[in-house]
Amino acid sequence: MAYLFPEGLTRGGVVRIKLDVEQIRVGMYIAALDRPWLESPFLFQGFLVETEDDLETLRKHCNYVFIDDVKSRDSDEVRRLIDAVGTTADATGKTDRQTAERVQQGSADSFRSNLRHATQSFRKSTDGVIRFFNDMRLGKSVETEDAKAIVSELVTTISSNVNTALWLTNLRTQHEATAAHCLNTSILALAFARHLGYPLEQLQEVGMGALLHDLGIARVPNAVLNKPGNLTEDEFEIVKKHPRDGYHVLKLTREIPAPALDIVLHHHERVNGSGYPDGLKDDEIREPVRIVAIADMYDSMTTERVYRKAMTPQDALTAMHKRAESDFGKRLMEEFIKCVGIYPIGSLVLLDTGALGVVVSSNPDARLKPLILLVRDEDGRNVFPRKLVNLATVSGQRSAQAWTVSRVVAPADYGIDIASIAAEEMRLN
């Protein structure tokens, strides 16, 4: 039996139709599954069925799915089936609503179990990157096989659970801060490149370049790197050497792909020619380089430094968008904003009731209703154990207004440390 998705759980007024997997045809757009996306082998939340292999995978893992009428191809066979099943809408929609809420709640239920696996990957990767920096300081070569293994692990983690991987970038420890920045930049760049549809080989190159992009910083004196005030012209010239220093060391290994080396050398270039070390302009800067440059700047701006406070994710995106024409290109910057979402993971949001929550996962089908970790209730009391709330799920309840995001706020204004919360949630898992 097939029937319409219930009112209130459609997107943008578009009707979704429930079909048994045996009724699915090439050309239909799969908008939702009968289980959380994270429990499926599909890389993307929402996709067009293009091959018989896609059909076979759906039949193997699902009993039924929801298709998007508008995004499906307008072929005669697809249209006839959609028109036929669309007239058998269930009058009450109660069963569908319960099913939809169960499926959406699955993202909340599975968050902590997914976090456990991602945490193990993150810890191994962090240890590896710290080792690279120590080797660089001691004049040793970087073990490229180790770097490749870390990137492969990150690609796997991000492909299976991009939201959880992005959540881990909130672990901003002061110990080996540069190594943590490199790992965060790699996670962000891989998520962005995946969003843009990069194939596996290019994902590996982007991940490798991002992971090693700041390796040359290991040769910058700590007195310069951690100076609380503005750098002098001479000190800035020392800092500007780090892309070329990292490039020369890595080039000697002869095992780092050329596109990854290009990222290491040119991640501080800007499309208006104001960057360094070579003053490249416009299309002279390859898109993978600009992907990493955006991820690098975003993580830097949202991380507290000795010389400035961290910006909120939303403020960082706003500032970067204003500079996009001169720095990265407006189109690419806007794609990055789509990738990280209206409420980027790690944002602290104030609900209409006065309660506070940290965004831990975006919802592609309801971008204004993310999955949040409730950290403070409407009376200002800290919530512990913290409760995961899927704002998309509660939107159909009578108390929906209580679960509406009012605005993004600065954690410091409320005495909340997102990094500590992220670390504690990792320990709980």
Side-chain angles (χ1 to χ4, degrees), residues 328-366:
F328 317 110
K330 188 174 181 180
R331 179 196 65 81
L332 200 61
M333 187 63 225
E334 289 178 348
E335 283 298 325
F336 182 72
I337 293 172
K338 290 178 186 177
C339 173
V340 298
I342 295 172
Y343 302 125
I345 292 170
S347 300
L348 182 67
V349 293
L350 178 69
L351 304 182
D352 279 353
T353 59
L356 292 167
V358 182
V359 177
V360 299
S361 177
S362 60
N363 186 339
D365 291 337

Side-chain angles (χ1 to χ4, degrees), residues 1-4 17-20 23 84-90 96:
M1 177 183 178
Y3 41 93
L4 295 179
I17 301 173
K18 179 182 177 181
L19 292 177
D20 294 332
Q23 296 175 288
V85 300
T87 60
T88 62
D90 179 77
D96 273 357

Side-chain angles (χ1 to χ4, degrees), residues 53-68:
D53 287 342
D54 292 341
L55 288 173
E56 185 61 32
T57 304
L58 279 168
R59 290 166 185 158
K60 182 178 179 181
H61 293 278
C62 300
N63 295 315
Y64 59 87
V65 297
F66 296 93
I67 65 169
D68 187 318

Side-chain angles (χ1 to χ4, degrees), residues 18-34:
K18 179 182 177 181
L19 292 177
D20 294 332
V21 288
E22 296 301 328
Q23 296 175 288
I24 300 302
R25 300 290 185 270
V26 171
M28 291 183 176
Y29 188 91
I30 308 302
L33 307 175
D34 61 356

Side-chain angles (χ1 to χ4, degrees), residues 292-429:
V292 175
I294 289 173
D296 173 37
M297 182 176 287
Y298 176 74
D299 187 70
S300 293
M301 293 176 76
T302 54
T303 302
E304 187 159 340
R305 304 292 190 188
V306 293
Y307 47 86
R308 60 159 170 76
K309 291 185 177 294
M311 297 178 70
T312 67
Q314 199 168 55
D315 286 346
L317 290 176
T318 299
M320 291 174 68
H321 187 260
K322 289 179 181 177
R323 297 163 47 175
E325 289 280 12
S326 60
D327 285 353
F328 317 110
K330 188 174 181 180
R331 179 196 65 81
L332 200 61
M333 187 63 225
E334 289 178 348
E335 283 298 325
F336 182 72
I337 293 172
K338 290 178 186 177
C339 173
V340 298
I342 295 172
Y343 302 125
I345 292 170
S347 300
L348 182 67
V349 293
L350 178 69
L351 304 182
D352 279 353
T353 59
L356 292 167
V358 182
V359 177
V360 299
S361 177
S362 60
N363 186 339
D365 291 337
R367 295 187 180 276
L368 296 177
K369 300 181 182 297
L371 175 67
I372 66 167
L373 188 69
L374 198 64
V375 296
R376 194 169 291 174
D377 65 19
E378 59 271 21
D379 296 319
R381 296 181 298 238
N382 290 332
V383 176
F384 199 85
R386 301 182 187 96
K387 179 182 178 184
L388 282 162
V389 180
N390 190 333
L391 300 186
T393 299
V394 297
S395 63
Q397 301 177 6
R398 283 181 298 176
S399 59
Q401 189 62 33
W403 299 104
T404 301
V405 174
S406 173
R407 65 183 187 276
V408 176
V409 295
D413 292 346
Y414 291 85
I416 289 176
D417 185 344
I418 303 297
S420 294
I421 291 172
E424 192 166 56
E425 287 297 313
M426 283 179 66
R427 288 195 296 273
L428 290 173
N429 287 279

Side-chain angles (χ1 to χ4, degrees), residues 187-350:
I187 292 172
L188 287 162
L190 282 169
F192 187 20
R194 179 175 171 273
H195 167 82
L196 294 173
Y198 275 40
L200 180 60
E201 183 178 356
Q202 276 192 293
L203 287 177
Q204 296 280 0
E205 293 168 353
V206 168
M208 180 75 76
L211 190 70
L212 303 173
H213 80 283
D214 262 354
L215 201 62
I217 286 287
R219 296 193 172 175
V220 176
N222 283 333
V224 174
L225 197 60
N226 298 318
K227 183 178 178 180
N230 294 329
L231 298 180
T232 65
E233 187 174 333
D234 289 342
E235 288 168 338
F236 187 48
E237 288 301 318
I238 293 173
V239 172
K240 286 168 65 176
K241 291 179 181 179
H242 81 268
R244 204 175 294 281
D245 285 344
Y247 170 80
H248 284 313
V249 169
L250 292 170
K251 189 177 181 182
L252 293 175
T253 68
R254 302 181 183 277
E255 296 177 18
I256 305 293
L261 289 173
D262 188 26
I263 289 170
V264 173
L265 181 60
H266 292 129
H267 64 275
H268 278 292
E269 301 288 357
R270 300 293 180 258
V271 295
N272 65 356
S274 64
Y276 60 87
D278 295 323
L280 301 183
K281 296 179 65 175
D282 300 323
D283 291 340
E284 293 176 333
I285 311 170
R286 295 171 59 252
E287 184 176 272
V289 176
R290 286 183 283 144
I291 285 173
V292 175
I294 289 173
D296 173 37
M297 182 176 287
Y298 176 74
D299 187 70
S300 293
M301 293 176 76
T302 54
T303 302
E304 187 159 340
R305 304 292 190 188
V306 293
Y307 47 86
R308 60 159 170 76
K309 291 185 177 294
M311 297 178 70
T312 67
Q314 199 168 55
D315 286 346
L317 290 176
T318 299
M320 291 174 68
H321 187 260
K322 289 179 181 177
R323 297 163 47 175
E325 289 280 12
S326 60
D327 285 353
F328 317 110
K330 188 174 181 180
R331 179 196 65 81
L332 200 61
M333 187 63 225
E334 289 178 348
E335 283 298 325
F336 182 72
I337 293 172
K338 290 178 186 177
C339 173
V340 298
I342 295 172
Y343 302 125
I345 292 170
S347 300
L348 182 67
V349 293
L350 178 69

